[in-house]
Amino acid sequence: MNYGIVIFILGWILRIEGALLLLPCATAVLYRENAGWCFLATAAISFILGVALTHKKPQNTKVYAREGFVVVALAWLVMSLIGAVPFTMCGDIPNYLDAVFETVSGFTTTGASILPEVESLNHCSLIWRSFTHWVGGMGIFVFMLAVVPLLGGSTFNLMRAESPGPVVGKFVPKIRDSAVILYGIYLAITIIEMLMLWMFGMPLFEAVCHTFGTVGTGGFSVKNTGYIGYSPVLQNITTFFMIACGINFQFYFYLMAKKFRMAVNMTEVRAYLGIILASILLIVINVRGMYGTLEETVRHAAFQVGTIITTTGYATYDFDRWPEFSKTILLILMMMGACAGSTGGGMKVSRFVIVLKGVRKELTNIIHPRYIKKIQFDGVPVAHETVRNTNVFVAIYFMVMILSILLVSVDNHDFTTNFTAVSATLNNIGPGLAMVGPTQNYSFYSGFSKCILIFDMLAGRLELFPVLLLLAPGSWKKYT
C-alpha cells in the first residue's frame, strides 16, 4: 500500500469538501440564518486539514488498483463524516449518527431519510442535503479529476473504482479530459432542468434543490409530501430528466460527437428504455381503476417507474397502496437499476444483459457442445474478465443483501420492511415498502441497524468492491 498517495488524495478531498461547504454558507447569508456559521466552521476545519495533508507531494504518485479502490472508499466515508458535522452543530439533526445516515444517503444519492419532516430545516441545511446528491451523482473523484490537475496519467484506477457499471472506458485519451466532458454534460443537464422547473412555476430555491436531487438521482425533497403537491407539468418534466440521467452518459457524448449510429446501437440504452416502456404499460393496465383519467394513470406510472429504475426516490403517489403486481415490478426495477455510466444506482441494466446472454450461451453449449460463440455487447465481444467480474458482483451482491437483512432483523420489524429497507439502501433508492414506504422514514431503526444500512448505501454506490477491500487486511500491507 502506498500510504503517502492515499493521504495526499484524502487531503485534496478535504480541501474540495471545504470549498463545497461554501454553498450552504452563501445560502445562509441570503436567508439570514445563523446556522451558516456551523457550515462555515466545518468548511474551515475541512480545508485546513486538507492543506495539512497536501502540503508535501509524495515521491511515489502511482495509484495502483489497490490504492484506487481503498482511497475511493475512504474518501466517501471521510466526506460523509465531515459533511454530517454542521447538521448536528446547528441542531437540525441533533444525533450525530442520524446526521451521518442523512449525509451518506445524500452523497450516495440514496435519498433514505431519518427526518420525519423537512420543512422546518434551515435553508442552508436543505441546500446541503440536496447538493450532496449532485456531488455524489457523477462522483466525487470525477469532480476532483475535472478541476484538479492532480496526478497525471495514474488516475485511471480512481475513476474505475468510483464509476458505476461493469466496464469503465475513456471518452478521450486523457482521463482529465474525460472527466471535464462528463461534468460539462452533467452541468448542462442541471441548468436546463433547473430553468424549466422555475419557468413552469416552481419557486427558485425548490427548483435548485429538486434539480440536484433529480440530476444526481438522489431524491431528497424540500417538501414533506415530495412531488405530490406539484403540478402535472412539473411532475412530467422531472420524469423526463430522471430517465435521461439514468442513461449512460457515453450516449450523450456520442450525440455531441455526431456519432448517431453508435448512440442508437448502444445495447444497454435500448434495453433500459424498453424495460421502462414495458413496465409503464403493465402498471397502467394494473392500476387503471385507481385514477380518474388515463392521463393521470400514465403520469403516475411513468413517474414511479422512472424514479425507481433510476434509483431517484421521489414520489407523486404512495405506491405502497398499489396492487401487489405493480409493487413487484417496482421491486424488480429497484434491484435492476439504471445504466452503467449514469448517475443511477442498482445492479445496472448492462449486468442483467450480460448475465442473460451468459445464460443463453451456456444453454446453447449444453445442446451444442462444440458450438463456440463469445458474448457480444454493442457488437463487440465481451472480455472474459468482464463476464467473470459481473458474475462475482452478482454473487457478492446477494450475499451482502442476505446478510444485511439478517442483521437488521434483530430490531424485530416485519420482513417486508427489512427486505425493502436493505434493497432500497443497497440499490441507493431511498423509499421501500411498509414502514419505509414513500411516505415514511428510517428513524425507527436502532443505531446498529442504521450502521448496517449506512454500509449498504456506501457499498451500493461504490459497487461493493472498494468497501469490501477497505475491510480486507491484505489491502493495507506495504509493498515489498
Side-chain angles (χ1 to χ4, degrees):
M1 173 64 68
N2 184 356
Y3 288 100
I5 195 60
V6 169
I7 293 171
F8 183 75
I9 293 173
L10 287 177
W12 267 107
I13 289 293
L14 289 171
R15 291 174 68 169
I16 289 172
E17 182 166 26
L20 296 175
L21 281 161
L22 295 179
L23 176 62
C25 294
T27 305
V29 171
L30 183 63
Y31 287 94
R32 299 180 180 180
E33 295 174 338
N34 292 329
W37 290 107
C38 301
F39 286 91
L40 184 60
T42 307
I45 292 170
S46 182
F47 190 81
I48 291 170
L49 285 174
V51 170
L53 294 178
T54 57
H55 77 283
K56 185 178 180 182
K57 193 171 184 177
Q59 291 182 343
N60 182 5
T61 60
K62 287 289 184 181
V63 181
Y64 300 101
R66 189 202 304 184
E67 284 83 6
F69 281 94
V70 168
V71 77
V72 163
L74 274 177
W76 281 71
L77 180 60
V78 168
M79 281 198 73
S80 299
L81 294 175
I82 296 292
V85 171
F87 287 134
T88 302
M89 285 180 65
C90 71
D92 279 342
I93 307 179
N95 183 292
Y96 181 66
L97 179 60
D98 285 348
V100 171
F101 184 99
E102 199 80 7
T103 309
V104 170
S105 181
F107 278 123
T108 59
T109 71
T110 303
S113 179
I114 48 78
L115 295 170
E117 64 93 25
V118 298
E119 293 181 26
S120 62
L121 266 63
N122 290 290
H123 287 84
C124 52
S125 292
L126 289 173
I127 198 77
W128 179 237
R129 283 174 83 238
S130 297
F131 190 48
T132 55
H133 281 333
W134 193 83
V135 174
M138 185 53 67
I140 296 165
F141 279 89
V142 176
F143 178 80
M144 184 179 75
L145 295 176
V147 299
V148 181
L150 192 60
L151 303 170
S154 67
T155 51
F156 179 70
N157 284 316
L158 294 175
M159 187 177 249
R160 188 182 71 168
E162 185 182 57
S163 298
V167 180
V168 177
K170 309 175 192 177
F171 295 160
V172 291
K174 292 185 178 180
I175 285 291
R176 188 170 183 234
D177 291 343
S178 294
V180 170
I181 290 170
L182 274 172
Y183 255 95
I185 298 170
Y186 193 50
L187 184 61
I189 295 174
T190 301
I191 293 172
I192 293 169
E193 186 194 355
M194 195 181 299
L195 290 174
M196 288 188 68
L197 291 177
W198 182 49
M199 287 169 57
F200 282 92
M202 186 178 287
L204 182 59
F205 179 80
E206 296 175 22
V208 172
C209 290
H210 285 122
T211 297
F212 287 157
T214 302
V215 178
T217 61
F220 278 153
S221 177
V222 297
K223 295 288 187 181
N224 296 328
T225 54
Y227 259 80
I228 293 174
Y230 288 111
S231 69
V233 173
L234 293 175
Q235 292 175 1
N236 289 333
I237 290 171
T238 303
T239 300
F240 173 82
F241 279 98
M242 284 190 297
I243 293 172
C245 290
I247 292 176
N248 191 323
F249 273 55
Q250 192 159 12
F251 174 81
Y252 300 119
F253 176 73
Y254 285 150
L255 294 181
M256 288 171 54
K258 298 182 180 180
K259 298 178 180 179
F260 302 115
R261 180 171 294 182
M262 295 179 72
V264 172
N265 289 335
M266 290 183 70
T267 303
E268 185 182 28
V269 174
R270 288 186 294 170
Y272 167 74
L273 296 176
I275 291 166
I276 289 175
L277 291 174
S279 300
I280 293 172
L281 177 62
L282 291 172
I283 290 176
V284 165
I285 294 171
N286 189 230
V287 303
R288 177 65 183 89
M290 299 180 65
Y291 300 98
T293 64
L294 180 61
E295 180 277 330
E296 187 180 7
T297 308
V298 173
R299 172 162 45 86
H300 287 300
F303 191 98
Q304 296 312 143
V305 167
T307 195
I308 294 298
I309 195 170
T310 62
T311 69
T312 304
Y314 287 135
T316 58
Y317 187 82
D318 184 1
F319 54 77
D320 200 17
R321 297 166 59 186
W322 278 358
E324 294 301 318
F325 178 75
S326 294
K327 288 193 290 186
T328 302
I329 291 175
L330 294 182
L331 186 61
I332 294 170
L333 297 178
M334 185 183 294
M335 290 189 286
M336 182 176 294
C339 296
S342 72
T343 61
M347 293 176 67
K348 304 297 179 296
V349 173
S350 57
R351 286 197 177 95
F352 274 83
V353 173
I354 291 172
V355 169
L356 289 175
K357 285 177 177 285
V359 170
R360 186 175 66 179
K361 178 190 172 188
E362 290 303 315
L363 292 175
T364 303
N365 285 344
I366 292 173
I367 300 171
H368 306 287
R370 296 184 179 180
Y371 181 78
I372 299 175
K373 185 178 180 181
K374 280 197 169 187
I375 297 172
Q376 292 199 336
F377 199 84
D378 292 343
V380 178
V382 179
H384 174 71
E385 181 184 356
T386 301
V387 177
R388 184 192 63 195
N389 181 281
T390 299
N391 293 335
V392 171
F393 176 89
V394 172
I396 296 175
Y397 172 91
F398 283 107
M399 288 170 61
V400 171
M401 176 179 284
I402 291 168
L403 181 59
S404 298
I405 294 170
L406 177 65
L407 291 174
V408 300
S409 67
V410 298
D411 283 1
N412 204 32
H413 300 302
D414 64 277
F415 178 76
T416 300
T417 295
N418 291 333
F419 179 79
T420 57
V422 170
S423 297
T425 50
L426 186 58
N427 293 294
N428 305 132
I429 292 172
L433 299 173
M435 294 173 68
V436 291
T439 60
Q440 309 296 326
N441 62 77
Y442 287 72
S443 60
F444 60 87
Y445 272 112
S446 66
F448 172 76
S449 292
K450 286 174 184 174
C451 289
I452 300 300
L453 298 174
I454 287 172
F455 173 86
D456 287 342
M457 287 189 280
L458 287 169
R461 173 58 183 84
L462 298 179
E463 307 233 305
L464 302 177
F465 295 112
V467 177
L468 295 179
L469 284 173
L470 186 65
L471 302 176
S475 299
W476 299 97
K477 292 181 179 179
K478 287 187 177 181
Y479 293 113
T480 56

